[in-house]
Amino acid sequence: MRQHSSAIVLVRSPLSGLWWGLLGVVAFSFTVPFTRVAVGGLSPLFIGSGRAVVAAALAAVALIVTRQRLPRGAQWWRLAVVGGGVVVGFPLLTSYALTTAPAGHSAVVIAVLPAATAALAVIRGHERPPPAFWAAAGLGAAAALGFASAQSGLGRLHWSDLLLFGAVLSAAIGYAEGGLLARDLGAWQTVSWALVVCAPLMLALAGLSAVRQTPHATPAQWAAFAYLAVVSMFLGFFAWYHGLAVGPMAQVSQVQLIQPVLTIAWAGLLLREHLSAATLVGGLVVVLCAASAVRVRLSGP
């Protein structure tokens, strides 16, 4: 197959890009609830690193089978940035945060990710969006921060909230750099190479975790881990980036705004978490602010 060929067979239709993007978002929406399930029996370090090792093995097979050319020069360093954000930072930080933070609460904090990604893309791409963009992005961040501090009591942030905000920043950096690098390497190829680049580090961390604490979990917890490794870290990106590639990218990218809504729903349906009015209202406010920031940027010159 050629360098930018896709491993997914596409049926061409006007809505095909949106449907592929929606499929990717639905796949990602289970990540927080299933991480919450997995940390009930497995260590956060093993979950965050082990899922990346499994995904890297799948990525290596895909790259070899489709005969992708090796990245060149500075592309390796840019892949390290992508991997540091979406392969190392986000999985590890969310795994540790979800040992104590409820999935619904975490979804509200992470809901600011689309706005954060847009902001990092603006900075990285040297864009000059209108002041309305920064106002919407700032309001989204303030809403997420206010929700987290109010939920923690006495207006102070819990350590898990700090980890979640760190996860958002890591993912935003990885998504923004990955979006630019994908123009040269291809969409799913960028994620696959980032997984391969980070594989030695994540393999070492997984081995260290297994030595310190032998993994023991219930079948449900292992199933949740398998989902995180195969779908959240690998197959979900195939659907998501394929949708962006088919496009129209501006419309498909906005599908991500429904991800926190789905995650909050799964937290209630699958984990039986009590969803308070504050969680629902906080999630709505953050999503609306993020949607405003994304729309202002997409409608700009």
Side-chain angles (χ1 to χ4, degrees):
M1 303 178 87
R2 291 178 299 176
Q3 165 66 14
H4 296 300
S5 62
S6 174
I8 300 176
V9 178
L10 172 66
V11 178
R12 294 284 180 180
S13 71
L15 295 179
S16 58
L18 289 173
W19 284 113
W20 279 112
L22 179 61
L23 179 61
V25 165
V26 172
F28 294 144
S29 70
F30 287 97
T31 299
V32 169
F34 283 169
T35 301
R36 181 67 171 160
V37 171
V39 295
L42 299 169
S43 73
L45 181 59
F46 181 82
I47 294 170
S49 57
R51 63 193 259 192
V53 172
V54 175
L58 296 174
V61 171
L63 291 169
I64 293 172
V65 169
T66 57
R67 299 179 181 180
Q68 302 297 314
R69 66 171 176 82
L70 289 172
R72 294 173 292 183
Q75 290 177 341
W76 288 109
W77 292 107
R78 298 176 66 187
L79 284 168
V81 173
V82 176
V86 301
V87 178
V88 181
F90 187 84
L92 285 175
L93 292 173
T94 53
S95 295
Y96 278 102
L98 285 161
T99 57
T100 57
H105 174 96
S106 302
V108 174
V109 177
I110 296 175
V112 77
L113 178 57
T117 301
L120 265 296
V122 163
I123 295 173
R124 180 67 178 82
H126 305 289
E127 300 177 18
R128 293 185 178 182
F133 167 81
W134 295 111
L139 284 175
L145 185 64
F147 168 81
S149 61
Q151 292 282 295
S152 298
L154 301 177
R156 292 182 296 182
L157 290 176
H158 192 269
W159 70 272
S160 60
D161 292 313
L162 298 177
L163 293 177
L164 289 171
F165 281 115
V168 167
L169 179 60
S170 296
I173 293 173
Y175 284 161
E177 187 63 37
L180 294 174
L181 186 55
R183 299 173 183 175
D184 300 323
L185 291 181
W188 70 267
Q189 294 92 332
T190 297
V191 177
S192 296
W193 281 117
L195 284 164
V196 171
V197 166
C198 295
L201 171 62
M202 303 310 274
L203 182 60
L205 292 177
L208 175 63
S209 174
V211 170
R212 292 173 53 186
Q213 179 183 338
T214 303
H216 289 294
T218 66
Q221 290 163 347
W222 278 118
F225 173 81
Y227 183 93
L228 295 173
V230 177
V231 180
S232 295
M233 288 291 290
F234 190 61
L235 294 181
F237 281 106
F238 272 65
W240 173 244
Y241 281 125
H242 193 69
L244 291 176
V246 175
M249 185 177 294
Q251 283 76 15
V252 175
S253 65
Q254 295 181 68
V255 176
Q256 190 182 25
L257 294 166
I258 71 171
Q259 182 174 326
V261 178
L262 293 175
T263 298
I264 292 173
W266 305 144
L269 294 174
L270 301 179
L271 304 182
R272 304 298 181 186
E273 288 187 2
H274 172 67
L275 301 179
S276 64
T279 299
L280 297 176
V281 173
L284 178 62
V285 171
V286 176
V287 169
L288 289 176
C289 291
S292 298
V294 172
R295 287 182 179 274
V296 168
R297 176 176 177 252
L298 292 178
S299 63

